[in-house]
Amino acid sequence: NVSEASLWDEEYVIKLEVEDEKGKISTGYSPLVVIDRKNLFAGGSGNATDPYKISNCRQLQNINYESMILRAEQNQWENWILSNDIDCSKTVEWNNGKGFIPIGSSNLAGFYGDFHGNGHSIKNLFINSSGGNVGLFWYSVGNISNVGLENISISGKTNNIGGLAAGNYGEVSNSFSTGMVSGGNFVGGLVGHNYYGVISNSYSTAN
């Protein structure tokens, strides 16, 4: 929804020409949206010494846009850090009641990178999916550390539902969740399905 996101800075139109088997050329026009990376987050450049800074829930959601850019560039590993506690209570109104879109789902490749909570918490996150593979993160192949999820409400109808991540191929450390998580099979308050990943010093009291 372009109207909800401040990251759409410029719009260009590209001309499309398609020739059929009879040689007839049809012309159409399509908007090309250019994403300005400096507006996705509160600061930072994404490298290990200067991670992207996240200070609100919209910037947290914007990791999906950056993930799509990284996949297109075939350079998928970057770094994020929370600057403060984040209140995501407005996600109950997002996407026609479906809530937050799991990080890593937009590029269909999962989350690649380091996400450091910096000892802060993400509060009141809401996701209501009619399918599976649901969590703050879709599938994580990266490192998630030092983050709390408080009073979350995350639900899916099928498999792989987790508070922090639907599936974990990477590492989760020093993290926790509270609230409610529900679904079909492979449901966990912290991680839905742990695929060869490592989870350390972490816990969940979610129902």
Side-chain angles (χ1 to χ4, degrees), residues 29 51 87:
Y29 297 87
D87 181 10

Side-chain angles (χ1 to χ4, degrees), residues 78-180:
E78 286 192 322
N79 303 266
W80 289 265
I81 191 169
L82 293 186
S83 300
N84 46 259
D85 289 351
I86 292 176
D87 181 10
C88 287
S89 56
K90 289 188 177 181
T91 52
V92 72
E93 303 170 359
W94 290 8
N95 299 307
N96 298 315
K98 295 180 180 178
F100 190 90
I101 299 172
I103 295 169
S105 61
S106 294
N107 65 3
L108 299 179
F111 172 74
Y112 288 75
D114 283 296
F115 182 90
H116 199 297
N118 201 25
H120 296 298
S121 290
I122 297 165
K123 302 177 180 181
N124 307 310
L125 182 73
F126 177 84
I127 302 175
N128 180 25
S129 172
S130 59
N133 303 319
V134 174
L136 171 63
F137 292 88
W138 191 55
Y139 284 89
S140 174
V141 190
N143 301 316
I144 303 169
S145 63
N146 297 287
V147 63
L149 298 181
E150 297 183 23
N151 193 36
I152 58 176
S153 177
I154 295 178
S155 61
K157 300 301 183 186
T158 57
N159 303 330
N160 304 328
I161 315 296
L164 187 63
N168 177 43
Y169 290 88
E171 184 172 352
V172 173
S173 62
N174 303 311
S175 298
F176 71 90
S177 69
T178 70
M180 186 277 294

